[in-house]
Amino acid sequence: MTMNVYIKDLAGHVGGEVTVQGWLHNKRSSGKIAFLIVRDGTGLVQGVMSKGDVDAGVWERVQQAEYEASVRVRGLVRADDRAPGGHELGLTDLQIIGRSSDDYPIQLKEHGVDFLLENRHLWLRTPRQVAIMRVRDELVKAIRDFMYDRGFVNVDTPILTGAIGESAGTLFQTDYFDLGTAYLAQTGQLYNEANAAALGRVYCFGPTFRAEKSKTRRHLTEFWMLEPEMAWCDSDCNMRFQEELVSYLVSRALERSRAQLEELERDVSRLQAVTPPFPRISYDEAVDRLQALGSEIVWGDDLGAEDETLVAQDYDRPVFIYNYPKQAKAFYMKENPDDPRTVLCDDLIAPEGYGELIGGSQREDDYEKLLARIREQGLPVESYGWYLDLRRYGTFPHSGFGLGLERTVAWVCGVHHIRECIAYPRTLNRLSP
Amino acid sequence: MTMNVYIKDLAGHVGGEVTVQGWLHNKRSSGKIAFLIVRDGTGLVQGVMSKGDVDAGVWERVQQAEYEASVRVRGLVRADDRAPGGHELGLTDLQIIGRSSDDYPIQLKEHGVDFLLENRHLWLRTPRQVAIMRVRDELVKAIRDFMYDRGFVNVDTPILTGAIGESAGTLFQTDYFDLGTAYLAQTGQLYNEANAAALGRVYCFGPTFRAEKSKTRRHLTEFWMLEPEMAWCDSDCNMRFQEELVSYLVSRALERSRAQLEELERDVSRLQAVTPPFPRISYDEAVDRLQALGSEIVWGDDLGAEDETLVAQDYDRPVFIYNYPKQAKAFYMKENPDDPRTVLCDDLIAPEGYGELIGGSQREDDYEKLLARIREQGLPVESYGWYLDLRRYGTFPHSGFGLGLERTVAWVCGVHHIRECIAYPRTLNRLSP
């Protein structure tokens, strides 16, 4: 019996006979010679078979095998620089494990995106989607390594929550036994703040839900978000941490996902420019610049996606815009002592039009100021009892942020729409498969 | 200015003066000498201050500082084998950053569990809870490392899903725009199977929801689950992978979480016994043994928690019970060719009464058999169209399992109730904080 080998590991078996298990990705056959491309999730390999070299039964099975049939092939590994992956198999056998059929929905041609999304469970088998999923996996692991190596404690925050949140209008809700309504969390931040008082530096990293009726290429109703929270860290410390993290993620993809970025035809020179420090401009400067460019923004407005793209176009790496007006941001952000009309916060905007990767802030640690802000925004004070406790019992300077995983994957991969950056995207119009 | 140092890093600063930022965990003071215990999330350290050595203002602040006030202390690091963590600070200064008060809810005494859960945001600050959260963090990272090092691709599966699932009776549901009802996923398995056909070996690891009215020490309505899925892996391969994973997790905790296991007074000799291979007994043998022990179980019943504990008590490490009757298990499990009344599955039962850690199976890969099972169980065939596609287009042998994170943490930590093994437990009666 020959050894089962993953396609990615063929380099270690040159000159030997191996078995590869996978799916038939493509086939060309003349009367005498057949070229098969097999994929196994770790890569693609071309196999070559001559009719004269094999039994009639084997040749017959090669003729039968359809696109996306699952197969077990045996062959001799040959180094071949021209082949994808650098190796070729001289095939001696093929077994069909599971037939496919001519009605396989996704053919090697262009399809409309609605059709592809409806067949997402099969679309994921194509090389471009495999590459995106592998880059996502690498970035997830890079995030976990980065946080762990710096002593952060991963504390998972709850999805099902009582009344608390930024704004109930954009929350999904469900009945919860005899306790009334539960909401699906938009953020773990408030819990992270409690956890930071227990453990120092913490993070959560899980799915997040927004019932927003947004139909842009940057919005999903369910997406993954990394949210670190750091005790004894001010807004400047927060931005320094963010640029270190983002630079690390990009360098890790360049180091370990090179084959995938090539598959995606990503211009890696754009990623190589991403090193700290990142440029920082204040909200005030951003508004001046936008007005000079003809934008109708006035001081006090939040920046829209177009504004962000306009500001970011001057830079070859992500840019921080910091210290926004209080009225444009959430109640928990710390008042700026140097300009109390503003708060100590930052948005990190990706280059090349990929938009906001991160929103972060130092948190308001003064009990009275926080209470006043909750009241000003008309939020129910009674729901924030435990959150206010953090300012009553040993309050402390702390900061944190949220990094959107799919937006980061889209930027690193150079993918236009974030719906391709999660396996089963959920949008206003899509809940399946 | 002295250097800010984490308590865990004091060993590198013996003989030097440092600043530690944290919270006052305990204080004893006579008229002339004060002993303070400070925690910072990375550990505890005792500081000693003599009235005669410091300014009157400093001594006054030490008298004022309450339990759980946040403080910045400066002092000389001394090695001291008797001290917790092996170091002591000779204090020269203390600043109070955030006052606390005498009504701090959680005192250094016994409280009832309902009270503690109601104050979970503060309860998490206590050493036992810090230790559990740190072990959980270590196990999460160990899982991520184990999967990554073996070439698995993390593919996050959706929480919000259409009609598909094991049984709608135990699902939370929410309105989803104009698309009707969305359910919160109980498992990512069916999606994992599609992903395995694209990427070979995959896993999801995220929160999972069960709207079950269970009130046991082993049930939560929201919990985290690791779910690997492996193409070209049969039931035996599946069990071998499970025992390798679980043994690795235990060895990793023994290696890197020793201080936390000591804090929890865990008998580590029980954990040291956990090495592969794990014993395996068939469902048939388990029933015979249970009947001999006086259980009323009859062939065909699923094993209850008490049955599992009875079977597991004979072993010093987790035990597999494999190949249950079809009627006791889910529709997607593969029929056992050697005994078609049963399916190719396994439950992995922890020792010491901690119950089921894992449920796994080889999946039914025959289209007609799977379709028949869906119909037999009265499930809506139309909801399983995309899942059935996986058997229509290149079906393949594959297996996978689900490992409950909180149950694993409870077992490793020796914690009786899994509500302490997640930061903000969600149960039938609890949705806050």
Side-chain angles (χ1 to χ4, degrees), chain A residues 186-220:
Chain A
Q186 287 189 337
T187 168
Q189 180 204 314
L190 308 191
Y191 292 100
N192 283 337
E193 292 184 52
N195 302 339
L199 292 148
R201 301 206 292 175
V202 299
Y203 72 99
C204 65
F205 187 14
T208 308
F209 303 87
R210 303 225 171 147
E212 287 173 11
K213 295 201 170 180
S214 302
K215 278 184 73 173
T216 83
R217 67 186 177 93
R218 294 178 188 165
H219 284 87
L220 297 167

Short mmCIF file of all heavy atoms in Angstrom, two decimals, chain A residues 186-220:
data_model
loop_
_atom_site.label_atom_id
_atom_site.label_comp_id
_atom_site.label_asym_id
_atom_site.label_seq_id
_atom_site.Cartn_x
_atom_site.Cartn_y
_atom_site.Cartn_z
N GLN A 186 -23.87 43.42 20.27
CA GLN A 186 -23.17 44.15 19.22
C GLN A 186 -21.71 44.30 19.53
O GLN A 186 -20.90 44.66 18.69
CB GLN A 186 -23.74 45.57 19.13
CG GLN A 186 -25.09 45.67 18.52
CD GLN A 186 -25.47 47.12 18.28
OE1 GLN A 186 -24.94 48.01 18.93
NE2 GLN A 186 -26.37 47.33 17.35
N THR A 187 -21.37 44.11 20.79
CA THR A 187 -20.01 44.33 21.25
C THR A 187 -19.82 43.64 22.60
O THR A 187 -20.79 43.48 23.34
CB THR A 187 -19.73 45.84 21.42
OG1 THR A 187 -18.50 46.02 22.14
CG2 THR A 187 -20.81 46.53 22.23
N GLY A 188 -18.60 43.22 22.90
CA GLY A 188 -18.29 42.69 24.22
C GLY A 188 -17.61 43.73 25.10
O GLY A 188 -17.17 43.42 26.20
N GLN A 189 -17.52 44.97 24.62
CA GLN A 189 -16.67 45.96 25.27
C GLN A 189 -17.00 46.22 26.74
O GLN A 189 -16.10 46.29 27.58
CB GLN A 189 -16.76 47.27 24.51
CG GLN A 189 -15.90 48.36 25.15
CD GLN A 189 -16.40 49.73 24.81
OE1 GLN A 189 -16.70 50.00 23.66
NE2 GLN A 189 -16.50 50.59 25.80
N LEU A 190 -18.26 46.40 27.03
CA LEU A 190 -18.60 46.76 28.42
C LEU A 190 -18.18 45.62 29.36
O LEU A 190 -17.65 45.87 30.45
CB LEU A 190 -20.09 47.08 28.56
CG LEU A 190 -20.65 48.11 27.57
CD1 LEU A 190 -22.06 48.52 27.98
CD2 LEU A 190 -19.78 49.33 27.43
N TYR A 191 -18.38 44.38 28.91
CA TYR A 191 -17.91 43.24 29.70
C TYR A 191 -16.38 43.21 29.76
O TYR A 191 -15.80 42.90 30.79
CB TYR A 191 -18.44 41.94 29.09
CG TYR A 191 -19.94 41.78 29.23
CD1 TYR A 191 -20.79 42.07 28.18
CD2 TYR A 191 -20.50 41.35 30.43
CE1 TYR A 191 -22.16 41.94 28.31
CE2 TYR A 191 -21.87 41.21 30.57
CZ TYR A 191 -22.70 41.51 29.51
OH TYR A 191 -24.05 41.38 29.65
N ASN A 192 -15.75 43.52 28.63
CA ASN A 192 -14.28 43.56 28.63
C ASN A 192 -13.74 44.51 29.69
O ASN A 192 -12.71 44.26 30.30
CB ASN A 192 -13.77 44.04 27.26
CG ASN A 192 -13.83 42.98 26.19
OD1 ASN A 192 -13.85 41.79 26.49
ND2 ASN A 192 -13.86 43.40 24.93
N GLU A 193 -14.44 45.63 29.90
CA GLU A 193 -13.97 46.60 30.89
C GLU A 193 -14.00 45.99 32.29
O GLU A 193 -13.08 46.20 33.09
CB GLU A 193 -14.81 47.87 30.81
CG GLU A 193 -14.59 48.65 29.52
CD GLU A 193 -15.36 49.96 29.50
OE1 GLU A 193 -15.25 50.75 30.46
OE2 GLU A 193 -16.11 50.19 28.53
N ALA A 194 -15.06 45.24 32.59
CA ALA A 194 -15.10 44.54 33.89
C ALA A 194 -13.98 43.51 33.97
O ALA A 194 -13.32 43.37 35.01
CB ALA A 194 -16.46 43.86 34.06
N ASN A 195 -13.74 42.82 32.87
CA ASN A 195 -12.72 41.77 32.87
C ASN A 195 -11.30 42.37 33.01
O ASN A 195 -10.43 41.74 33.61
CB ASN A 195 -12.82 40.94 31.58
CG ASN A 195 -14.19 40.31 31.42
OD1 ASN A 195 -14.92 40.14 32.40
ND2 ASN A 195 -14.56 39.97 30.20
N ALA A 196 -11.11 43.56 32.46
CA ALA A 196 -9.79 44.21 32.57
C ALA A 196 -9.49 44.56 34.03
O ALA A 196 -8.34 44.53 34.45
CB ALA A 196 -9.74 45.46 31.70
N ALA A 197 -10.53 44.86 34.80
CA ALA A 197 -10.32 45.16 36.22
C ALA A 197 -9.99 43.89 37.00
O ALA A 197 -9.44 43.95 38.10
CB ALA A 197 -11.56 45.81 36.81
N ALA A 198 -10.31 42.74 36.44
CA ALA A 198 -10.00 41.46 37.09
C ALA A 198 -8.67 40.90 36.62
O ALA A 198 -7.92 40.30 37.40
CB ALA A 198 -11.11 40.45 36.82
N LEU A 199 -8.36 41.09 35.33
CA LEU A 199 -7.25 40.36 34.71
C LEU A 199 -6.22 41.26 34.04
O LEU A 199 -5.25 40.76 33.46
CB LEU A 199 -7.81 39.36 33.70
CG LEU A 199 -8.58 38.19 34.35
CD1 LEU A 199 -9.71 37.71 33.45
CD2 LEU A 199 -7.65 37.05 34.68
N GLY A 200 -6.42 42.57 34.07
CA GLY A 200 -5.41 43.48 33.53
C GLY A 200 -5.56 43.77 32.06
O GLY A 200 -6.02 44.83 31.67
N ARG A 201 -5.16 42.82 31.23
CA ARG A 201 -5.30 42.99 29.78
C ARG A 201 -6.04 41.79 29.22
O ARG A 201 -5.62 40.63 29.42
CB ARG A 201 -3.93 43.14 29.11
CG ARG A 201 -3.18 44.35 29.71
CD ARG A 201 -2.16 44.93 28.75
NE ARG A 201 -1.06 44.04 28.50
CZ ARG A 201 -0.08 44.29 27.62
NH1 ARG A 201 -0.12 45.41 26.90
NH2 ARG A 201 0.91 43.45 27.46
N VAL A 202 -7.13 42.06 28.55
CA VAL A 202 -8.04 41.00 28.12
C VAL A 202 -8.47 41.24 26.68
O VAL A 202 -8.26 42.32 26.12
CB VAL A 202 -9.31 40.96 29.02
CG1 VAL A 202 -8.94 40.67 30.47
CG2 VAL A 202 -10.10 42.26 28.91
N TYR A 203 -9.08 40.21 26.09
CA TYR A 203 -9.74 40.42 24.80
C TYR A 203 -10.84 39.40 24.62
O TYR A 203 -10.81 38.32 25.19
CB TYR A 203 -8.75 40.33 23.64
CG TYR A 203 -8.23 38.95 23.31
CD1 TYR A 203 -8.76 38.20 22.26
CD2 TYR A 203 -7.19 38.37 24.05
CE1 TYR A 203 -8.28 36.95 21.94
CE2 TYR A 203 -6.71 37.10 23.74
CZ TYR A 203 -7.26 36.40 22.69
OH TYR A 203 -6.79 35.15 22.38
N CYS A 204 -11.82 39.79 23.82
CA CYS A 204 -12.78 38.82 23.31
C CYS A 204 -12.65 38.81 21.80
O CYS A 204 -12.17 39.76 21.19
CB CYS A 204 -14.21 39.14 23.76
SG CYS A 204 -14.89 40.67 23.11
N PHE A 205 -13.07 37.72 21.20
CA PHE A 205 -12.93 37.57 19.75
C PHE A 205 -13.99 36.56 19.34
O PHE A 205 -13.81 35.36 19.53
CB PHE A 205 -11.52 37.08 19.43
CG PHE A 205 -11.16 37.04 17.96
CD1 PHE A 205 -11.93 37.68 17.01
CD2 PHE A 205 -10.03 36.36 17.54
CE1 PHE A 205 -11.58 37.65 15.67
CE2 PHE A 205 -9.67 36.32 16.20
CZ PHE A 205 -10.45 36.96 15.28
N GLY A 206 -15.08 37.06 18.83
CA GLY A 206 -16.18 36.18 18.48
C GLY A 206 -17.15 36.87 17.54
O GLY A 206 -16.89 38.00 17.08
N PRO A 207 -18.27 36.21 17.25
CA PRO A 207 -19.26 36.81 16.35
C PRO A 207 -20.01 37.95 17.02
O PRO A 207 -20.18 37.96 18.23
CB PRO A 207 -20.19 35.64 16.03
CG PRO A 207 -20.08 34.74 17.21
CD PRO A 207 -18.67 34.89 17.72
N THR A 208 -20.44 38.89 16.21
CA THR A 208 -21.10 40.11 16.66
C THR A 208 -22.26 40.36 15.71
O THR A 208 -22.18 39.99 14.54
CB THR A 208 -20.08 41.27 16.58
OG1 THR A 208 -18.90 40.88 17.27
CG2 THR A 208 -20.63 42.52 17.21
N PHE A 209 -23.31 40.97 16.22
CA PHE A 209 -24.55 41.06 15.44
C PHE A 209 -25.04 42.50 15.35
O PHE A 209 -25.10 43.20 16.36
CB PHE A 209 -25.62 40.17 16.08
CG PHE A 209 -25.17 38.74 16.19
CD1 PHE A 209 -24.44 38.30 17.29
CD2 PHE A 209 -25.40 37.86 15.15
CE1 PHE A 209 -23.98 36.99 17.36
CE2 PHE A 209 -24.94 36.55 15.21
CZ PHE A 209 -24.23 36.12 16.32
N ARG A 210 -25.40 42.91 14.16
CA ARG A 210 -26.00 44.25 13.97
C ARG A 210 -27.18 44.13 13.02
O ARG A 210 -27.01 43.75 11.86
CB ARG A 210 -24.97 45.23 13.40
CG ARG A 210 -23.75 45.32 14.30
CD ARG A 210 -23.25 46.70 14.58
NE ARG A 210 -22.22 46.57 15.61
CZ ARG A 210 -21.14 47.34 15.72
NH1 ARG A 210 -20.96 48.32 14.88
NH2 ARG A 210 -20.27 47.15 16.69
N ALA A 211 -28.34 44.46 13.52
CA ALA A 211 -29.56 44.38 12.72
C ALA A 211 -29.75 45.67 11.93
O ALA A 211 -30.82 46.25 11.92
CB ALA A 211 -30.75 44.09 13.61
N GLU A 212 -28.68 46.11 11.26
CA GLU A 212 -28.73 47.35 10.48
C GLU A 212 -29.19 47.06 9.06
O GLU A 212 -28.78 46.07 8.47
CB GLU A 212 -27.35 48.02 10.42
CG GLU A 212 -26.93 48.66 11.72
CD GLU A 212 -25.49 49.16 11.66
OE1 GLU A 212 -24.91 49.19 10.56
OE2 GLU A 212 -24.97 49.50 12.73
N LYS A 213 -29.97 47.98 8.51
CA LYS A 213 -30.43 47.77 7.14
C LYS A 213 -29.42 48.32 6.13
O LYS A 213 -29.80 48.90 5.12
CB LYS A 213 -31.81 48.42 6.97
CG LYS A 213 -32.88 47.75 7.82
CD LYS A 213 -34.28 48.01 7.33
CE LYS A 213 -35.27 47.12 8.08
NZ LYS A 213 -36.66 47.34 7.62
N SER A 214 -28.13 48.14 6.42
CA SER A 214 -27.09 48.63 5.51
C SER A 214 -26.89 47.63 4.37
O SER A 214 -26.82 46.43 4.60
CB SER A 214 -25.77 48.80 6.26
OG SER A 214 -25.94 49.68 7.34
N LYS A 215 -26.76 48.16 3.17
CA LYS A 215 -26.51 47.30 2.02
C LYS A 215 -25.24 47.70 1.31
O LYS A 215 -25.23 47.85 0.10
CB LYS A 215 -27.69 47.37 1.03
CG LYS A 215 -28.85 46.48 1.38
CD LYS A 215 -29.91 46.54 0.32
CE LYS A 215 -29.52 45.80 -0.95
NZ LYS A 215 -30.63 45.73 -1.92
N THR A 216 -24.15 47.90 2.08
CA THR A 216 -22.90 48.30 1.44
C THR A 216 -21.97 47.10 1.35
O THR A 216 -22.22 46.06 1.95
CB THR A 216 -22.18 49.41 2.22
OG1 THR A 216 -21.43 48.79 3.28
CG2 THR A 216 -23.19 50.38 2.84
N ARG A 217 -20.87 47.29 0.67
CA ARG A 217 -19.89 46.21 0.54
C ARG A 217 -19.08 46.02 1.80
O ARG A 217 -18.22 45.15 1.87
CB ARG A 217 -18.98 46.47 -0.66
CG ARG A 217 -18.06 47.67 -0.52
CD ARG A 217 -17.32 47.90 -1.84
NE ARG A 217 -16.46 49.07 -1.82
CZ ARG A 217 -15.15 49.04 -1.50
NH1 ARG A 217 -14.58 47.92 -1.16
NH2 ARG A 217 -14.44 50.15 -1.52
N ARG A 218 -19.31 46.86 2.80
CA ARG A 218 -18.56 46.77 4.05
C ARG A 218 -19.40 46.31 5.22
O ARG A 218 -18.96 46.37 6.37
CB ARG A 218 -17.96 48.14 4.39
CG ARG A 218 -16.93 48.61 3.42
CD ARG A 218 -16.43 49.98 3.82
NE ARG A 218 -15.57 50.56 2.80
CZ ARG A 218 -15.23 51.84 2.75
NH1 ARG A 218 -15.69 52.67 3.67
NH2 ARG A 218 -14.45 52.29 1.80
N HIS A 219 -20.63 45.90 4.99
CA HIS A 219 -21.51 45.54 6.10
C HIS A 219 -22.03 44.11 6.02
O HIS A 219 -22.43 43.64 4.96
CB HIS A 219 -22.71 46.50 6.17
CG HIS A 219 -22.35 47.83 6.74
ND1 HIS A 219 -21.87 48.85 5.95
CD2 HIS A 219 -22.38 48.31 8.01
CE1 HIS A 219 -21.61 49.92 6.73
NE2 HIS A 219 -21.91 49.61 7.96
N LEU A 220 -22.02 43.46 7.17
CA LEU A 220 -22.65 42.15 7.35
C LEU A 220 -23.51 42.26 8.61
O LEU A 220 -23.23 43.06 9.50
CB LEU A 220 -21.59 41.07 7.56
CG LEU A 220 -20.61 40.79 6.41
CD1 LEU A 220 -19.45 39.94 6.88
CD2 LEU A 220 -21.33 40.08 5.26
#
